[in-house]
Amino acid sequence: MGIADTAESWETVDSRTPFQGAKTSVSSDRVRMPDGSLATRDYQVHPGSVCVVALDADGAVLVLRQYRHPVRHRLWELPAGLLDVPGENPLHAAQRELYEEAHVKAETWNVLVDFFASPGGSDEAVRVFLARDLSEAEGERYAGEGEEADMELARVPLADLVRGVLEGRFGNAALATGVLALATALAAPGGLTALRPADAAWPARPYRP
């Protein structure tokens, strides 16, 4: 490949935190532009997220329907969660979320795709895993709270999800990115064998092994 994103950091003259929430905050930075002028950039400071495309033996993907208050929609999404612990291994977090939200475990894991959720207004980095060889998890189901208390669970053929994304019926960014990435990987030379291992480095969110 001839092109790739590159890490770069322009000079931050000063920074303040006008809002601090339970999980995220807002940073207001004065940044020096290439012409020497200063500009203010306000953005959400986010710990990062993991999502799971859980693919079963019949070619269906496990999805969840959940209410999202900021957009006033009930969205179909992938099992997902925050990287609550600094330096947390994202694979461990993804396995936890798959268990808690779907009561499912998987034997085979790969990194499917990494992306920045909204780089113009947030530093949130997202890693999407592909999980295969699924089975029911042992033990009692996790009791969800808040928006998770009435989540709806479904297994939908991958082709139907891809069609829904292209028709504008699904608006969750991680769902769209994940299912389109999986469809692309399946059609590419080498198929899923070309995917990165589950412990692949993630410069956007370095973690402990």
Side-chain angles (χ1 to χ4, degrees), residues 51-184:
C51 304
V52 184
V53 177
L55 183 68
D56 69 19
D58 296 321
V61 174
L62 193 156
V63 290
L64 307 164
R65 191 168 180 248
Q66 183 174 350
Y67 176 68
R68 293 301 188 183
H69 186 72
V71 295
R72 307 304 199 273
H73 271 69
R74 192 178 288 268
L75 301 176
W76 285 102
E77 304 180 350
L78 303 173
L82 301 177
L83 292 169
D84 295 313
V85 181
E88 182 178 16
N89 188 312
L91 174 60
H92 298 166
Q95 291 169 333
R96 180 186 67 240
E97 295 301 331
L98 185 60
Y99 165 75
E100 290 183 353
E101 295 191 347
H103 202 67
V104 166
K105 64 180 181 179
E107 295 300 322
T108 305
W109 291 81
N110 289 93
V111 172
L112 185 56
V113 65
D114 298 328
F115 68 97
F116 292 108
S118 182
S122 172
D123 70 351
E124 180 183 4
V126 183
R127 169 157 281 189
V128 183
F129 288 92
L130 174 63
R132 291 173 288 161
D133 301 316
L134 309 181
S135 62
E136 191 79 3
E138 296 88 0
E140 296 183 6
R141 284 186 172 272
Y142 176 79
E145 299 178 350
E147 292 89 345
E148 295 181 350
D150 69 342
M151 286 195 304
E152 179 182 348
L153 175 66
R155 297 195 183 207
V156 181
L158 175 62
D160 291 351
L161 291 175
V162 170
R163 188 177 307 111
V165 169
L166 298 179
E167 291 175 352
R169 291 188 284 112
F170 303 125
N172 179 270
L175 173 69
T177 301
V179 300
L180 294 177
L182 177 55
T184 301

